Each structure stands twice: as C-alpha cells, then as structure tokens.
Amino acid sequence: AAGVIQSPRHLIKEKRETATLKCYPIPRHDTVYWYQQGPGQDPQFLISFYEKMQSDKGSIPDRFSAQQFSDYHSELNMSSLELGDSALYFCASSLRSGANVLTFGAGSRLTVL
Amino acid sequence: GENVEQHPSTLSVQEGDSAVIKCTYSDSASNYFPWYKQELGKRPQLIIDIRSNVGEKKDQRIAVTLNKTAKHFSLHITETQPEDSAVYFCAASIVGNEKLTFGTGTRLTIIP
C-alpha cells in the first residue's frame, strides 16, 4: 500500500539559507500535517491543511510557510535557517472521515550548520 | 490548548514482564487517544488507539485503557519482547479537529 512520501530524506544547509521539504500524502487522504521533532523531543505540531486550505496552525515560526497544492502534495518552506531548526520533520496524512488516524512519512532530517 | 503529560520518561523491564505507560490530558473535549511507537530516527507508527466511547481496547499483547472522568489513559504491554524496545508516545485530539498533541514520550527498554 502506498504510504506518505517525503523528500528529501536528508538535507544539510548553512545558517540563513532556505530549505524546502516536500510531502506526498496517501492517495485520497484529504488532510496533511507537518510536525517538527528535535533530538529527544516529542513531535511538535506545525501546521495542517484540509482540502488545500490551512486548517490549523501550531508552533510554526514566522520564517516557515507551507502550502498544499492541487495534487494534494504539500511543501514546507523554511527561510533564514537557524541552528535550532535542525530536526526531523515529519509529514502525516489522514482522511477526515477516518477520524484522526494519522499515518506518518519517514521524515526529512534537516541539519543546519 | 491541549496538554498531555506522560510518565515515566524511561522504563526498563525484564523480557516477559509487563510494561505500563500512563498519560493524562487536560482538554475534556478530547475524544481520540492514539499510541505511537518510534524507533530511533524512524517515523512514529500507530500501534493502538482508543476513542472516548470505550473504556478499554486490546490487540494481542497490547491494551489501552481510558478513564474519561479522570482524564487519563494507559498503555499496557504484556509478555514483553526485545523488539518492544522503542520510544512510545501517547497523544490526544478531538475528532474533526485533526491535530494530535503528543506526550513527551517513554523510552522503553526490554532487558533480555
């Protein structure tokens, strides 16, 4: 069965650079979520989209933005990167009528030097 | 917003023994409580979930109990095996409100 696909899996950037992460949800899933997980931390909710519209917002820095496209894939754009942005970024998707059962992608590991 | 507390932060049990992880939540409107298992550097994987209309759910060696009055829920793993070693996260959300709020995680180590 198709899963949530994230790319790239690993990304190394310098401070103040920009990074873009991509997420392809499970086919027919209508909701996409982004989570940030620092070392030894729990996943922190950043933002979610339902049917291509932003549906909820968490602790996402103003330097970050995200959108969901017509094909339902989503991108997380991070600018003016800081050392503290180094983390695992997970995308998850769900079907709203499936009542919150989130399936996570394998994650994108961002390292900021 | 929702706040989920999880205890203990680390847990070591002998292989074959049982493990129990407990979580409390703050928002009485929360009605969906999943548990995720995460191995180092990998994705969280759903292992079991429970909705507020039931008090207990079991799937082979794993069970979850929910006490809505006290706003706490627990994960029980019986006959533990080395492959159960991982970090376990509880979470809570409101069905239809999507986002999960995670607990701080429990690192479970099974001692052979």
PDB file of all heavy atoms in Angstrom, chain A residues 31 33 35 37 42-43 45 48 55-56 90 96 99-102 104-106, chain B residues 32 36 38 41-44 46 51 89 93-96 98-100 102-104:
ATOM      1  N   THR A  31      -6.153  15.411   4.293  1.00  0.00           N
ATOM      2  CA  THR A  31      -5.546  16.280   5.301  1.00  0.00           C
ATOM      3  C   THR A  31      -4.072  15.956   5.450  1.00  0.00           C
ATOM      4  O   THR A  31      -3.677  14.785   5.501  1.00  0.00           O
ATOM      5  CB  THR A  31      -6.252  16.114   6.662  1.00  0.00           C
ATOM      6  OG1 THR A  31      -7.666  16.250   6.477  1.00  0.00           O
ATOM      7  CG2 THR A  31      -5.786  17.175   7.636  1.00  0.00           C
ATOM      8  N   TYR A  33      -0.453  17.096   7.593  1.00  0.00           N
ATOM      9  CA  TYR A  33       0.079  17.740   8.796  1.00  0.00           C
ATOM     10  C   TYR A  33       1.603  17.786   8.709  1.00  0.00           C
ATOM     11  O   TYR A  33       2.219  16.866   8.181  1.00  0.00           O
ATOM     12  CB  TYR A  33      -0.267  16.934  10.053  1.00  0.00           C
ATOM     13  CG  TYR A  33      -1.681  16.433  10.132  1.00  0.00           C
ATOM     14  CD1 TYR A  33      -2.088  15.334   9.392  1.00  0.00           C
ATOM     15  CD2 TYR A  33      -2.609  17.039  10.964  1.00  0.00           C
ATOM     16  CE1 TYR A  33      -3.387  14.851   9.459  1.00  0.00           C
ATOM     17  CE2 TYR A  33      -3.906  16.561  11.045  1.00  0.00           C
ATOM     18  CZ  TYR A  33      -4.293  15.475  10.295  1.00  0.00           C
ATOM     19  OH  TYR A  33      -5.575  15.005  10.370  1.00  0.00           O
ATOM     20  N   TYR A  35       4.947  18.109  11.306  1.00  0.00           N
ATOM     21  CA  TYR A  35       5.440  18.076  12.666  1.00  0.00           C
ATOM     22  C   TYR A  35       6.956  18.246  12.660  1.00  0.00           C
ATOM     23  O   TYR A  35       7.641  17.782  11.747  1.00  0.00           O
ATOM     24  CB  TYR A  35       5.112  16.735  13.333  1.00  0.00           C
ATOM     25  CG  TYR A  35       3.691  16.599  13.806  1.00  0.00           C
ATOM     26  CD1 TYR A  35       2.688  16.213  12.933  1.00  0.00           C
ATOM     27  CD2 TYR A  35       3.344  16.872  15.125  1.00  0.00           C
ATOM     28  CE1 TYR A  35       1.374  16.099  13.364  1.00  0.00           C
ATOM     29  CE2 TYR A  35       2.039  16.755  15.570  1.00  0.00           C
ATOM     30  CZ  TYR A  35       1.058  16.364  14.682  1.00  0.00           C
ATOM     31  OH  TYR A  35      -0.241  16.256  15.112  1.00  0.00           O
ATOM     32  N   GLN A  37      10.334  17.439  15.030  1.00  0.00           N
ATOM     33  CA  GLN A  37      10.797  16.673  16.184  1.00  0.00           C
ATOM     34  C   GLN A  37      12.283  16.901  16.409  1.00  0.00           C
ATOM     35  O   GLN A  37      13.112  16.438  15.624  1.00  0.00           O
ATOM     36  CB  GLN A  37      10.506  15.184  16.011  1.00  0.00           C
ATOM     37  CG  GLN A  37      10.814  14.366  17.270  1.00  0.00           C
ATOM     38  CD  GLN A  37      10.436  12.895  17.125  1.00  0.00           C
ATOM     39  OE1 GLN A  37      10.456  12.346  16.036  1.00  0.00           O
ATOM     40  NE2 GLN A  37      10.088  12.255  18.236  1.00  0.00           N
ATOM     41  N   ASP A  42       9.362  15.227  21.727  1.00  0.00           N
ATOM     42  CA  ASP A  42       8.167  14.708  21.100  1.00  0.00           C
ATOM     43  C   ASP A  42       7.876  15.542  19.847  1.00  0.00           C
ATOM     44  O   ASP A  42       8.331  16.676  19.723  1.00  0.00           O
ATOM     45  CB  ASP A  42       6.979  14.769  22.059  1.00  0.00           C
ATOM     46  CG  ASP A  42       6.770  16.158  22.650  1.00  0.00           C
ATOM     47  OD1 ASP A  42       7.622  16.579  23.461  1.00  0.00           O
ATOM     48  OD2 ASP A  42       5.786  16.808  22.278  1.00  0.00           O
ATOM     49  N   PRO A  43       7.134  14.971  18.934  1.00  0.00           N
ATOM     50  CA  PRO A  43       6.776  15.728  17.722  1.00  0.00           C
ATOM     51  C   PRO A  43       5.919  16.949  18.078  1.00  0.00           C
ATOM     52  O   PRO A  43       4.951  16.831  18.831  1.00  0.00           O
ATOM     53  CB  PRO A  43       5.984  14.719  16.891  1.00  0.00           C
ATOM     54  CG  PRO A  43       6.378  13.372  17.438  1.00  0.00           C
ATOM     55  CD  PRO A  43       6.625  13.594  18.896  1.00  0.00           C
ATOM     56  N   PHE A  45       3.500  19.926  16.644  1.00  0.00           N
ATOM     57  CA  PHE A  45       2.646  20.256  15.507  1.00  0.00           C
ATOM     58  C   PHE A  45       3.008  21.627  14.951  1.00  0.00           C
ATOM     59  O   PHE A  45       3.107  22.615  15.693  1.00  0.00           O
ATOM     60  CB  PHE A  45       1.185  20.218  15.948  1.00  0.00           C
ATOM     61  CG  PHE A  45       0.226  20.715  14.922  1.00  0.00           C
ATOM     62  CD1 PHE A  45      -0.069  19.967  13.799  1.00  0.00           C
ATOM     63  CD2 PHE A  45      -0.391  21.945  15.071  1.00  0.00           C
ATOM     64  CE1 PHE A  45      -0.970  20.421  12.847  1.00  0.00           C
ATOM     65  CE2 PHE A  45      -1.289  22.412  14.129  1.00  0.00           C
ATOM     66  CZ  PHE A  45      -1.575  21.651  13.012  1.00  0.00           C
ATOM     67  N   SER A  48      -1.380  22.356   9.493  1.00  0.00           N
ATOM     68  CA  SER A  48      -2.118  21.333   8.771  1.00  0.00           C
ATOM     69  C   SER A  48      -2.968  21.965   7.676  1.00  0.00           C
ATOM     70  O   SER A  48      -3.301  23.155   7.740  1.00  0.00           O
ATOM     71  CB  SER A  48      -3.001  20.510   9.709  1.00  0.00           C
ATOM     72  OG  SER A  48      -3.990  21.332  10.307  1.00  0.00           O
ATOM     73  N   SER A  55      -5.798  24.501   7.825  1.00  0.00           N
ATOM     74  CA  SER A  55      -6.882  24.175   8.737  1.00  0.00           C
ATOM     75  C   SER A  55      -6.521  24.404  10.197  1.00  0.00           C
ATOM     76  O   SER A  55      -7.403  24.617  11.023  1.00  0.00           O
ATOM     77  CB  SER A  55      -7.317  22.719   8.558  1.00  0.00           C
ATOM     78  OG  SER A  55      -6.207  21.855   8.681  1.00  0.00           O
ATOM     79  N   ASP A  56      -5.236  24.369  10.514  1.00  0.00           N
ATOM     80  CA  ASP A  56      -4.816  24.601  11.891  1.00  0.00           C
ATOM     81  C   ASP A  56      -3.351  25.006  11.886  1.00  0.00           C
ATOM     82  O   ASP A  56      -2.601  24.677  10.963  1.00  0.00           O
ATOM     83  CB  ASP A  56      -5.019  23.336  12.737  1.00  0.00           C
ATOM     84  CG  ASP A  56      -5.177  23.630  14.221  1.00  0.00           C
ATOM     85  OD1 ASP A  56      -4.912  24.775  14.640  1.00  0.00           O
ATOM     86  OD2 ASP A  56      -5.558  22.707  14.963  1.00  0.00           O
ATOM     87  N   PHE A  90       8.425  15.642  10.099  1.00  0.00           N
ATOM     88  CA  PHE A  90       7.521  14.598   9.645  1.00  0.00           C
ATOM     89  C   PHE A  90       6.291  15.219   9.002  1.00  0.00           C
ATOM     90  O   PHE A  90       5.732  16.199   9.495  1.00  0.00           O
ATOM     91  CB  PHE A  90       7.063  13.725  10.816  1.00  0.00           C
ATOM     92  CG  PHE A  90       8.114  12.807  11.342  1.00  0.00           C
ATOM     93  CD1 PHE A  90       8.761  13.081  12.530  1.00  0.00           C
ATOM     94  CD2 PHE A  90       8.457  11.655  10.648  1.00  0.00           C
ATOM     95  CE1 PHE A  90       9.741  12.240  13.031  1.00  0.00           C
ATOM     96  CE2 PHE A  90       9.441  10.802  11.141  1.00  0.00           C
ATOM     97  CZ  PHE A  90      10.083  11.092  12.326  1.00  0.00           C
ATOM     98  N   ARG A  96     -10.231  12.718   6.712  1.00  0.00           N
ATOM     99  CA  ARG A  96     -11.027  13.333   7.775  1.00  0.00           C
ATOM    100  C   ARG A  96     -12.135  12.423   8.243  1.00  0.00           C
ATOM    101  O   ARG A  96     -12.420  12.318   9.422  1.00  0.00           O
ATOM    102  CB  ARG A  96     -11.575  14.678   7.329  1.00  0.00           C
ATOM    103  CG  ARG A  96     -12.362  15.389   8.432  1.00  0.00           C
ATOM    104  CD  ARG A  96     -12.647  16.826   8.084  1.00  0.00           C
ATOM    105  NE  ARG A  96     -11.548  17.683   8.490  1.00  0.00           N
ATOM    106  CZ  ARG A  96     -11.645  19.008   8.569  1.00  0.00           C
ATOM    107  NH1 ARG A  96     -12.772  19.604   8.258  1.00  0.00           N
ATOM    108  NH2 ARG A  96     -10.622  19.730   8.926  1.00  0.00           N
ATOM    109  N   ALA A  99     -11.447   9.899  10.915  1.00  0.00           N
ATOM    110  CA  ALA A  99     -11.381  10.301  12.330  1.00  0.00           C
ATOM    111  C   ALA A  99      -9.987  10.267  12.918  1.00  0.00           C
ATOM    112  O   ALA A  99      -9.712   9.530  13.853  1.00  0.00           O
ATOM    113  CB  ALA A  99     -12.337   9.444  13.153  1.00  0.00           C
ATOM    114  N   ASN A 100      -9.111  11.093  12.352  1.00  0.00           N
ATOM    115  CA  ASN A 100      -7.838  11.386  13.003  1.00  0.00           C
ATOM    116  C   ASN A 100      -6.777  10.314  12.929  1.00  0.00           C
ATOM    117  O   ASN A 100      -5.754  10.459  13.562  1.00  0.00           O
ATOM    118  CB  ASN A 100      -8.032  11.734  14.482  1.00  0.00           C
ATOM    119  CG  ASN A 100      -8.695  13.063  14.673  1.00  0.00           C
ATOM    120  OD1 ASN A 100      -9.760  13.292  14.144  1.00  0.00           O
ATOM    121  ND2 ASN A 100      -8.057  13.951  15.391  1.00  0.00           N
ATOM    122  N   VAL A 101      -6.948   9.247  12.210  1.00  0.00           N
ATOM    123  CA  VAL A 101      -5.898   8.241  12.155  1.00  0.00           C
ATOM    124  C   VAL A 101      -4.800   8.764  11.238  1.00  0.00           C
ATOM    125  O   VAL A 101      -4.934   8.757  10.024  1.00  0.00           O
ATOM    126  CB  VAL A 101      -6.437   6.890  11.658  1.00  0.00           C
ATOM    127  CG1 VAL A 101      -5.303   5.870  11.605  1.00  0.00           C
ATOM    128  CG2 VAL A 101      -7.547   6.404  12.584  1.00  0.00           C
ATOM    129  N   LEU A 102      -3.723   9.234  11.845  1.00  0.00           N
ATOM    130  CA  LEU A 102      -2.616   9.810  11.096  1.00  0.00           C
ATOM    131  C   LEU A 102      -1.599   8.751  10.718  1.00  0.00           C
ATOM    132  O   LEU A 102      -1.237   7.912  11.549  1.00  0.00           O
ATOM    133  CB  LEU A 102      -1.904  10.873  11.937  1.00  0.00           C
ATOM    134  CG  LEU A 102      -2.396  12.318  11.848  1.00  0.00           C
ATOM    135  CD1 LEU A 102      -3.797  12.442  12.385  1.00  0.00           C
ATOM    136  CD2 LEU A 102      -1.446  13.247  12.559  1.00  0.00           C
ATOM    137  N   PHE A 104       2.260   8.586   9.297  1.00  0.00           N
ATOM    138  CA  PHE A 104       3.435   9.441   9.155  1.00  0.00           C
ATOM    139  C   PHE A 104       4.333   8.977   8.015  1.00  0.00           C
ATOM    140  O   PHE A 104       4.441   7.777   7.732  1.00  0.00           O
ATOM    141  CB  PHE A 104       4.249   9.438  10.450  1.00  0.00           C
ATOM    142  CG  PHE A 104       3.659  10.280  11.529  1.00  0.00           C
ATOM    143  CD1 PHE A 104       2.625   9.803  12.317  1.00  0.00           C
ATOM    144  CD2 PHE A 104       4.123  11.566  11.763  1.00  0.00           C
ATOM    145  CE1 PHE A 104       2.055  10.579  13.314  1.00  0.00           C
ATOM    146  CE2 PHE A 104       3.575  12.353  12.760  1.00  0.00           C
ATOM    147  CZ  PHE A 104       2.535  11.862  13.528  1.00  0.00           C
ATOM    148  N   GLY A 105       4.990   9.964   7.387  1.00  0.00           N
ATOM    149  CA  GLY A 105       6.047   9.661   6.446  1.00  0.00           C
ATOM    150  C   GLY A 105       7.328   9.337   7.189  1.00  0.00           C
ATOM    151  O   GLY A 105       7.384   9.413   8.421  1.00  0.00           O
ATOM    152  N   ALA A 106       8.350   8.991   6.426  1.00  0.00           N
ATOM    153  CA  ALA A 106       9.620   8.579   7.021  1.00  0.00           C
ATOM    154  C   ALA A 106      10.420   9.746   7.586  1.00  0.00           C
ATOM    155  O   ALA A 106      11.401   9.544   8.289  1.00  0.00           O
ATOM    156  CB  ALA A 106      10.448   7.822   5.992  1.00  0.00           C
TER     157      ALA A 106
ATOM    158  N   TYR B  32     -10.077  11.276  21.191  1.00  0.00           N
ATOM    159  CA  TYR B  32      -9.332  10.279  20.424  1.00  0.00           C
ATOM    160  C   TYR B  32      -7.930  10.204  20.989  1.00  0.00           C
ATOM    161  O   TYR B  32      -7.248  11.235  21.145  1.00  0.00           O
ATOM    162  CB  TYR B  32      -9.297  10.668  18.941  1.00  0.00           C
ATOM    163  CG  TYR B  32      -8.437   9.759  18.100  1.00  0.00           C
ATOM    164  CD1 TYR B  32      -8.769   8.421  17.919  1.00  0.00           C
ATOM    165  CD2 TYR B  32      -7.285  10.243  17.490  1.00  0.00           C
ATOM    166  CE1 TYR B  32      -7.966   7.588  17.154  1.00  0.00           C
ATOM    167  CE2 TYR B  32      -6.494   9.416  16.728  1.00  0.00           C
ATOM    168  CZ  TYR B  32      -6.831   8.090  16.559  1.00  0.00           C
ATOM    169  OH  TYR B  32      -6.048   7.266  15.807  1.00  0.00           O
ATOM    170  N   TYR B  36       1.717   5.791  19.713  1.00  0.00           N
ATOM    171  CA  TYR B  36       2.674   5.585  18.638  1.00  0.00           C
ATOM    172  C   TYR B  36       3.966   5.007  19.193  1.00  0.00           C
ATOM    173  O   TYR B  36       4.402   5.358  20.298  1.00  0.00           O
ATOM    174  CB  TYR B  36       2.985   6.908  17.921  1.00  0.00           C
ATOM    175  CG  TYR B  36       1.888   7.380  16.994  1.00  0.00           C
ATOM    176  CD1 TYR B  36       0.803   8.108  17.469  1.00  0.00           C
ATOM    177  CD2 TYR B  36       1.933   7.082  15.634  1.00  0.00           C
ATOM    178  CE1 TYR B  36      -0.208   8.531  16.622  1.00  0.00           C
ATOM    179  CE2 TYR B  36       0.934   7.500  14.770  1.00  0.00           C
ATOM    180  CZ  TYR B  36      -0.132   8.228  15.272  1.00  0.00           C
ATOM    181  OH  TYR B  36      -1.127   8.639  14.426  1.00  0.00           O
ATOM    182  N   GLN B  38       8.000   4.628  18.265  1.00  0.00           N
ATOM    183  CA  GLN B  38       9.009   5.222  17.391  1.00  0.00           C
ATOM    184  C   GLN B  38      10.380   4.647  17.701  1.00  0.00           C
ATOM    185  O   GLN B  38      10.877   4.764  18.825  1.00  0.00           O
ATOM    186  CB  GLN B  38       9.037   6.743  17.538  1.00  0.00           C
ATOM    187  CG  GLN B  38       9.956   7.425  16.539  1.00  0.00           C
ATOM    188  CD  GLN B  38       9.937   8.939  16.643  1.00  0.00           C
ATOM    189  OE1 GLN B  38       9.747   9.495  17.715  1.00  0.00           O
ATOM    190  NE2 GLN B  38      10.138   9.624  15.519  1.00  0.00           N
ATOM    191  N   GLY B  41      15.299   7.430  14.976  1.00  0.00           N
ATOM    192  CA  GLY B  41      15.436   8.002  13.640  1.00  0.00           C
ATOM    193  C   GLY B  41      14.362   7.604  12.662  1.00  0.00           C
ATOM    194  O   GLY B  41      14.439   7.945  11.476  1.00  0.00           O
ATOM    195  N   LYS B  42      13.335   6.894  13.156  1.00  0.00           N
ATOM    196  CA  LYS B  42      12.285   6.443  12.246  1.00  0.00           C
ATOM    197  C   LYS B  42      10.971   7.146  12.539  1.00  0.00           C
ATOM    198  O   LYS B  42      10.856   7.918  13.472  1.00  0.00           O
ATOM    199  CB  LYS B  42      12.140   4.927  12.342  1.00  0.00           C
ATOM    200  CG  LYS B  42      13.403   4.188  11.902  1.00  0.00           C
ATOM    201  CD  LYS B  42      13.160   2.722  11.692  1.00  0.00           C
ATOM    202  CE  LYS B  42      14.415   2.057  11.132  1.00  0.00           C
ATOM    203  NZ  LYS B  42      14.206   0.604  10.911  1.00  0.00           N
ATOM    204  N   ARG B  43       9.994   6.844  11.728  1.00  0.00           N
ATOM    205  CA  ARG B  43       8.706   7.511  11.859  1.00  0.00           C
ATOM    206  C   ARG B  43       7.913   6.956  13.025  1.00  0.00           C
ATOM    207  O   ARG B  43       8.042   5.789  13.376  1.00  0.00           O
ATOM    208  CB  ARG B  43       7.900   7.327  10.568  1.00  0.00           C
ATOM    209  CG  ARG B  43       7.266   5.952  10.409  1.00  0.00           C
ATOM    210  CD  ARG B  43       6.686   5.733   9.042  1.00  0.00           C
ATOM    211  NE  ARG B  43       7.708   5.406   8.065  1.00  0.00           N
ATOM    212  CZ  ARG B  43       7.517   5.396   6.748  1.00  0.00           C
ATOM    213  NH1 ARG B  43       6.326   5.712   6.261  1.00  0.00           N
ATOM    214  NH2 ARG B  43       8.485   5.074   5.935  1.00  0.00           N
ATOM    215  N   PRO B  44       7.034   7.771  13.632  1.00  0.00           N
ATOM    216  CA  PRO B  44       6.093   7.227  14.613  1.00  0.00           C
ATOM    217  C   PRO B  44       5.110   6.301  13.905  1.00  0.00           C
ATOM    218  O   PRO B  44       4.591   6.637  12.843  1.00  0.00           O
ATOM    219  CB  PRO B  44       5.387   8.479  15.155  1.00  0.00           C
ATOM    220  CG  PRO B  44       6.258   9.624  14.776  1.00  0.00           C
ATOM    221  CD  PRO B  44       6.918   9.238  13.500  1.00  0.00           C
ATOM    222  N   LEU B  46       1.601   4.034  14.437  1.00  0.00           N
ATOM    223  CA  LEU B  46       0.434   3.795  15.277  1.00  0.00           C
ATOM    224  C   LEU B  46       0.381   2.333  15.695  1.00  0.00           C
ATOM    225  O   LEU B  46       0.467   1.438  14.856  1.00  0.00           O
ATOM    226  CB  LEU B  46      -0.832   4.158  14.502  1.00  0.00           C
ATOM    227  CG  LEU B  46      -2.161   3.957  15.230  1.00  0.00           C
ATOM    228  CD1 LEU B  46      -2.314   4.969  16.345  1.00  0.00           C
ATOM    229  CD2 LEU B  46      -3.330   4.056  14.248  1.00  0.00           C
ATOM    230  N   ARG B  51     -11.081   5.424  21.377  1.00  0.00           N
ATOM    231  CA  ARG B  51     -11.971   6.585  21.330  1.00  0.00           C
ATOM    232  C   ARG B  51     -12.760   6.636  22.624  1.00  0.00           C
ATOM    233  O   ARG B  51     -12.899   5.627  23.322  1.00  0.00           O
ATOM    234  CB  ARG B  51     -12.868   6.490  20.100  1.00  0.00           C
ATOM    235  CG  ARG B  51     -12.038   6.440  18.837  1.00  0.00           C
ATOM    236  CD  ARG B  51     -12.823   6.356  17.553  1.00  0.00           C
ATOM    237  NE  ARG B  51     -11.949   5.920  16.465  1.00  0.00           N
ATOM    238  CZ  ARG B  51     -11.120   6.729  15.819  1.00  0.00           C
ATOM    239  NH1 ARG B  51     -11.071   8.002  16.136  1.00  0.00           N
ATOM    240  NH2 ARG B  51     -10.347   6.266  14.857  1.00  0.00           N
ATOM    241  N   PHE B  89       4.904   7.130  22.395  1.00  0.00           N
ATOM    242  CA  PHE B  89       4.244   8.414  22.588  1.00  0.00           C
ATOM    243  C   PHE B  89       2.740   8.206  22.688  1.00  0.00           C
ATOM    244  O   PHE B  89       2.144   7.528  21.838  1.00  0.00           O
ATOM    245  CB  PHE B  89       4.507   9.361  21.413  1.00  0.00           C
ATOM    246  CG  PHE B  89       5.910   9.875  21.323  1.00  0.00           C
ATOM    247  CD1 PHE B  89       6.820   9.289  20.450  1.00  0.00           C
ATOM    248  CD2 PHE B  89       6.322  10.948  22.093  1.00  0.00           C
ATOM    249  CE1 PHE B  89       8.118   9.758  20.354  1.00  0.00           C
ATOM    250  CE2 PHE B  89       7.623  11.434  21.998  1.00  0.00           C
ATOM    251  CZ  PHE B  89       8.516  10.831  21.129  1.00  0.00           C
ATOM    252  N   SER B  93      -6.468  14.077  20.795  1.00  0.00           N
ATOM    253  CA  SER B  93      -7.037  15.056  19.864  1.00  0.00           C
ATOM    254  C   SER B  93      -8.552  14.989  19.950  1.00  0.00           C
ATOM    255  O   SER B  93      -9.127  14.108  20.599  1.00  0.00           O
ATOM    256  CB  SER B  93      -6.579  14.811  18.429  1.00  0.00           C
ATOM    257  OG  SER B  93      -7.222  13.688  17.892  1.00  0.00           O
ATOM    258  N   ILE B  94      -9.159  15.940  19.262  1.00  0.00           N
ATOM    259  CA  ILE B  94     -10.613  15.967  19.154  1.00  0.00           C
ATOM    260  C   ILE B  94     -10.955  15.533  17.743  1.00  0.00           C
ATOM    261  O   ILE B  94     -10.458  16.116  16.776  1.00  0.00           O
ATOM    262  CB  ILE B  94     -11.154  17.382  19.427  1.00  0.00           C
ATOM    263  CG1 ILE B  94     -10.733  17.835  20.820  1.00  0.00           C
ATOM    264  CG2 ILE B  94     -12.669  17.423  19.272  1.00  0.00           C
ATOM    265  CD1 ILE B  94     -11.002  19.306  21.081  1.00  0.00           C
ATOM    266  N   VAL B  95     -11.748  14.517  17.607  1.00  0.00           N
ATOM    267  CA  VAL B  95     -12.137  14.046  16.276  1.00  0.00           C
ATOM    268  C   VAL B  95     -12.763  15.193  15.512  1.00  0.00           C
ATOM    269  O   VAL B  95     -13.660  15.866  15.997  1.00  0.00           O
ATOM    270  CB  VAL B  95     -13.121  12.870  16.388  1.00  0.00           C
ATOM    271  CG1 VAL B  95     -13.671  12.510  15.007  1.00  0.00           C
ATOM    272  CG2 VAL B  95     -12.430  11.672  17.013  1.00  0.00           C
ATOM    273  N   GLY B  96     -12.227  15.430  14.302  1.00  0.00           N
ATOM    274  CA  GLY B  96     -12.694  16.541  13.494  1.00  0.00           C
ATOM    275  C   GLY B  96     -11.864  17.785  13.681  1.00  0.00           C
ATOM    276  O   GLY B  96     -11.978  18.731  12.909  1.00  0.00           O
ATOM    277  N   GLU B  98      -8.464  17.341  14.160  1.00  0.00           N
ATOM    278  CA  GLU B  98      -7.274  16.877  13.478  1.00  0.00           C
ATOM    279  C   GLU B  98      -5.981  16.776  14.257  1.00  0.00           C
ATOM    280  O   GLU B  98      -5.412  15.719  14.387  1.00  0.00           O
ATOM    281  CB  GLU B  98      -7.025  17.746  12.236  1.00  0.00           C
ATOM    282  CG  GLU B  98      -8.217  17.812  11.331  1.00  0.00           C
ATOM    283  CD  GLU B  98      -8.140  19.012  10.427  1.00  0.00           C
ATOM    284  OE1 GLU B  98      -7.044  19.534  10.209  1.00  0.00           O
ATOM    285  OE2 GLU B  98      -9.194  19.426   9.938  1.00  0.00           O
ATOM    286  N   LYS B  99      -5.432  17.899  14.717  1.00  0.00           N
ATOM    287  CA  LYS B  99      -4.047  17.825  15.158  1.00  0.00           C
ATOM    288  C   LYS B  99      -3.927  17.009  16.435  1.00  0.00           C
ATOM    289  O   LYS B  99      -4.764  17.065  17.324  1.00  0.00           O
ATOM    290  CB  LYS B  99      -3.455  19.211  15.367  1.00  0.00           C
ATOM    291  CG  LYS B  99      -3.865  19.867  16.653  1.00  0.00           C
ATOM    292  CD  LYS B  99      -3.174  21.206  16.836  1.00  0.00           C
ATOM    293  CE  LYS B  99      -3.540  21.782  18.203  1.00  0.00           C
ATOM    294  NZ  LYS B  99      -3.476  23.239  18.213  1.00  0.00           N
ATOM    295  N   LEU B 100      -2.850  16.220  16.472  1.00  0.00           N
ATOM    296  CA  LEU B 100      -2.528  15.444  17.654  1.00  0.00           C
ATOM    297  C   LEU B 100      -1.599  16.253  18.550  1.00  0.00           C
ATOM    298  O   LEU B 100      -0.656  16.871  18.073  1.00  0.00           O
ATOM    299  CB  LEU B 100      -1.820  14.150  17.272  1.00  0.00           C
ATOM    300  CG  LEU B 100      -2.629  13.095  16.511  1.00  0.00           C
ATOM    301  CD1 LEU B 100      -1.718  11.941  16.119  1.00  0.00           C
ATOM    302  CD2 LEU B 100      -3.787  12.604  17.351  1.00  0.00           C
ATOM    303  N   PHE B 102       1.053  15.474  21.385  1.00  0.00           N
ATOM    304  CA  PHE B 102       1.789  14.316  21.870  1.00  0.00           C
ATOM    305  C   PHE B 102       2.227  14.498  23.314  1.00  0.00           C
ATOM    306  O   PHE B 102       2.482  15.614  23.774  1.00  0.00           O
ATOM    307  CB  PHE B 102       3.037  14.081  21.012  1.00  0.00           C
ATOM    308  CG  PHE B 102       2.745  13.466  19.675  1.00  0.00           C
ATOM    309  CD1 PHE B 102       2.420  14.253  18.581  1.00  0.00           C
ATOM    310  CD2 PHE B 102       2.795  12.088  19.503  1.00  0.00           C
ATOM    311  CE1 PHE B 102       2.156  13.695  17.339  1.00  0.00           C
ATOM    312  CE2 PHE B 102       2.529  11.513  18.266  1.00  0.00           C
ATOM    313  CZ  PHE B 102       2.204  12.320  17.194  1.00  0.00           C
ATOM    314  N   GLY B 103       2.339  13.384  24.016  1.00  0.00           N
ATOM    315  CA  GLY B 103       3.038  13.372  25.296  1.00  0.00           C
ATOM    316  C   GLY B 103       4.532  13.434  25.045  1.00  0.00           C
ATOM    317  O   GLY B 103       4.985  13.409  23.893  1.00  0.00           O
ATOM    318  N   THR B 104       5.298  13.491  26.109  1.00  0.00           N
ATOM    319  CA  THR B 104       6.743  13.697  25.990  1.00  0.00           C
ATOM    320  C   THR B 104       7.510  12.408  25.726  1.00  0.00           C
ATOM    321  O   THR B 104       8.727  12.448  25.560  1.00  0.00           O
ATOM    322  CB  THR B 104       7.286  14.356  27.251  1.00  0.00           C
ATOM    323  OG1 THR B 104       6.780  13.660  28.394  1.00  0.00           O
ATOM    324  CG2 THR B 104       6.859  15.820  27.331  1.00  0.00           C
TER     325      THR B 104
END
